[in-house]
Amino acid sequence: VADQLLCVDVPIIDDNVYEENEVFSIFLSTPDFGVQLDPHYAVIMILDNDVVVVQFVTGSYFVSEGTNFQSVCILKEGEAEVAVSVLLTTMSLDDSMAEASDDFSPVSGIVTFSSESTAECKMIGIENDNIAFQENKQFMVAVTSARSRVLIGASNITTVTVFDDDMVVLQFSSSNYEVSEDNGTVTVCVTKDLETARTFTAIATARVFESDIEAEREDFVPATIPLVFPAGTVNTVCEDFRILSDEVALEGNEQFIVELSMPFFMTVQGMNVGLGSLITAANCTNGGNVVVSSALVTIIDTDVLTVKFSSTAYEVEEGAGSVRVCLEKDLDTDEDLLINVKASELDAAEARGGQDFDNAPLIMTFTEGQRMDCLDIRIFEDDMAHEKDERFMVQFTVLTPGVVTGEPNTSFVTIIDNDEPSPSVAIIG
C-alpha cells in the first residue's frame, strides 16, 4: 500500500477567557502488533485569541487640595483566568497647570488585576501648597498596555482637577490698641497667614463703639480704609486712623471700634478669606456673606487741667461788705469741678479772721463748659479808730482728682481802712 496521509480534525472549543496559550497531546495506538508508530504522539498548542479591555471608570475626577489623596479607578472588561497588568502614569497638561511634586505626587507604576478582579484603584497623593487664591489646576493620568491582547478602551486618560481650598485668615495684630489723645494717629495692623497668588483688598472701618466710655466724633475721625495685601508671602498691612485732641479734661479714657470685613465681590471671585478670632467683640455676620471682626482702640485722655487765681492781689474798702475773688481753668471738662476756697490770716499784725474777714471755708463749683468762676468773701467793718490797711491771703484746694494747681495758687486781699482819724487834742499850758 502506498504511503497515505490521513488527517483527523480535533475540535477546539472557544472559551472566551483571557488566558495563557495552552497545549495538549494526541497519541496514536494500534491493535496490530506489526505496525510501528513513530512518532506516536503530537503536541498541539492552542493560541489564545481572547482579549480584555481596560479603561478608567470615569474621564474626570475633582478633588480639594486639602484632601491629601485621590483614588483613580480602572475597570477590566472580559473574563480572565490569569492576572492582567497595565501601566499607570501621571503627567502635567502644560506649564500653567498642576505640577508634579508641587501639586500632586507623580506616579508611574504597574497596576495588576487578579483573575477574579474586575476593578483596581490607585491612590495618587495631592500636595497642599498652602498658597491661596490660585486657579484650579489639572493633571492627567494615562493607562497603557504592553500586551497585544490587553486592549485599552476609549477612556484611556482621566483628568484630575484640584480645587484650591486654602483659606487666608486675616486678623488684627492685637485685639486692643491704646493711644494717647495727643498722639494724632493710631496705627492698626492686620496680618494674613498664608501666601497668596493674587493681590486682594480687605476693608477696615473705624466707628463709634457703644459703651459707657464711648468716643464721640470729636475724638477720632470715622473712616473706611482699604487694606491692600499684595500677592506673595505672609505679610502685615498697617493703616493710620486719625485721633483728635478735644482739649476736654476729666473725660476719662474713650474707645472706638475698628471692624475688619471683606468686599462681597471677593466671594463671587472665589477668594476664600476668613477673619480671625483675635478680637474682643463677638463676630457677627453682615448680610450673610461677609464676616465682621473687630478690635478696640482706647484713647487715653492726656488733657491736664490747671486751675489758678485770675489775679495775685485784690483790694477792697473796709465798708464794702465783701471782696470778689475769681479762679480760672484752662480747659473744658466733662464733669463739674469742686474747689475748696479758704481765707486765712497772714500774721498777727495783719487782718484777723472772723474780725476783719470771714475765714469760713467756701465751695466753688465749675460747671462743664465754664472757664472762670468767682465767689465773695465777707469783709467786716470794725468801726475802730483809724488804722493801717490790713491784708489776708486766699488759697484753694481742688477736690476733684486729676487737676493741677497752677500759678498763682495764692492771692492776697488788702482791706483799705475807711475809719476817720481820731481828732487831735491841743493842750494849752
Side-chain angles (χ1 to χ4, degrees):
V1 176
D3 292 339
Q4 293 183 350
L5 177 64
L6 299 178
C7 296
V8 177
D9 292 330
V10 178
I12 302 298
I13 301 173
D14 189 354
D15 55 11
N16 294 316
V17 176
Y18 176 86
E19 56 194 346
E20 299 294 342
N21 295 333
E22 298 171 305
V23 296
F24 66 93
S25 299
I26 298 177
F27 291 89
L28 296 177
S29 62
T30 175
D32 188 347
F33 292 104
V35 177
Q36 183 178 358
L37 301 176
D38 184 26
H40 68 283
Y41 70 95
V43 177
I44 300 174
M45 176 178 288
I46 302 175
L47 301 177
D48 185 43
N49 63 351
D50 294 307
V51 300
V52 291
V53 177
V54 177
Q55 62 183 347
F56 288 107
V57 173
T58 178
S60 58
Y61 290 89
F62 300 89
V63 60
S64 295
E65 190 177 43
T67 304
N68 297 326
F69 293 97
Q70 175 61 49
S71 178
V72 175
C73 296
I74 309 170
L75 288 179
K76 180 187 74 176
E77 300 173 1
E79 187 177 351
E81 208 172 62
V82 293
V84 175
S85 296
V86 293
L87 178 64
L88 196 70
T89 308
T90 57
M91 64 189 75
S92 297
L93 291 174
D94 55 53
D95 292 340
S96 64
M97 292 292 99
E99 297 181 5
S101 299
D102 290 338
D103 300 301
F104 65 92
S105 298
V107 170
S108 180
I110 300 297
V111 177
T112 300
F113 293 82
S114 66
S115 59
E116 295 83 8
S117 175
T118 58
E120 292 292 333
C121 296
K122 181 73 173 179
M123 299 297 288
I124 299 176
I126 304 299
E127 303 295 332
N128 190 344
D129 56 11
N130 292 317
I131 301 175
F133 303 164
Q134 300 179 91
E135 300 292 341
N136 296 333
K137 298 181 179 182
Q138 292 180 321
F139 64 93
M140 294 187 303
V141 186
V143 59
T144 56
S145 172
R147 303 290 296 272
S148 60
R149 290 186 299 113
V150 178
L151 306 181
I152 303 300
S155 185
N156 64 326
I157 292 177
T158 187
T159 301
V160 180
T161 301
V162 182
F163 290 104
D164 178 26
D165 62 354
D166 291 311
M167 173 180 282
V168 174
V169 176
L170 300 181
Q171 64 181 16
F172 290 99
S173 299
S174 175
S175 60
N176 288 279
Y177 293 85
E178 289 189 354
V179 59
S180 297
E181 187 178 43
D182 56 359
N183 197 64
T185 60
V186 59
T187 301
V188 175
C189 297
V190 177
T191 300
K192 72 172 184 178
D193 68 336
L194 284 182
E195 181 179 349
T196 56
R198 286 184 278 172
T199 296
F200 70 97
T201 301
I203 302 297
T205 303
R207 65 170 180 82
V208 171
F209 180 59
E210 296 78 9
S211 73
D212 293 336
I213 50 175
E214 172 182 306
E216 300 179 356
R217 293 178 183 267
E218 292 81 8
D219 302 304
F220 74 101
V221 177
T224 296
I225 299 178
L227 304 176
V228 179
F229 290 85
T233 57
V234 175
N235 52 37
T236 298
V237 174
C238 300
E239 289 291 345
D240 292 337
F241 290 89
R242 286 184 58 199
I243 304 298
L244 304 178
S245 180
D246 55 10
E247 296 188 350
V248 176
L250 305 181
E251 60 183 343
N253 297 337
E254 296 171 307
Q255 293 178 315
F256 67 92
I257 194 170
V258 180
E259 290 179 338
L260 184 62
S261 59
M262 299 303 303
F264 172 76
F265 71 86
M266 292 191 66
T267 303
V268 177
Q269 292 180 348
M271 293 187 178
N272 201 5
V273 180
L275 300 175
S277 59
L278 188 59
I279 57 172
T280 54
N283 286 349
C284 62
T285 301
N286 181 6
N289 295 297
V290 179
V291 178
V292 178
S293 295
S294 58
L296 281 179
V297 177
T298 300
I299 303 173
I300 307 299
D301 181 25
T302 56
D303 293 312
V304 178
L305 176 64
T306 301
V307 177
K308 65 180 181 178
F309 282 110
S310 60
S311 176
T312 58
Y314 296 88
E315 289 186 352
V316 59
E317 289 193 3
E318 188 178 45
S322 66
V323 59
R324 176 155 292 186
V325 177
C326 296
L327 282 81
E328 59 186 35
K329 58 186 176 74
D330 61 349
L331 294 175
D332 290 332
T333 57
D334 234 14
E335 60 181 82
D336 291 345
L337 188 65
L338 297 179
I339 299 176
N340 188 331
V341 180
K342 181 75 166 60
S344 304
E345 297 175 0
L346 285 173
D347 56 50
E350 296 291 345
R352 308 291 293 183
Q355 179 179 323
D356 298 306
F357 63 91
D358 188 356
N359 61 352
L362 301 172
I363 296 297
M364 176 183 288
T365 302
F366 275 95
T367 58
E368 293 182 15
Q370 189 178 13
R371 290 292 186 100
M372 178 178 287
D373 197 11
C374 302
L375 53 74
D376 295 329
I377 299 174
R378 291 172 61 196
I379 302 297
F380 303 129
E381 189 169 9
D382 54 13
D383 292 330
M384 294 179 64
H386 179 70
E387 57 187 345
K388 71 179 184 67
D389 295 342
E390 298 173 310
R391 296 191 310 158
F392 65 92
M393 65 179 178
V394 183
Q395 295 177 309
F396 68 89
T397 302
V398 181
L399 303 178
T400 304
V403 180
V404 174
T405 300
E407 295 289 343
N409 57 10
T410 300
S411 187
F412 298 92
V413 178
T414 300
I415 303 174
I416 308 298
D417 182 50
N418 64 350
D419 294 315
E420 294 293 332
S422 299
S424 57
V425 178
I427 303 175
I428 302 174

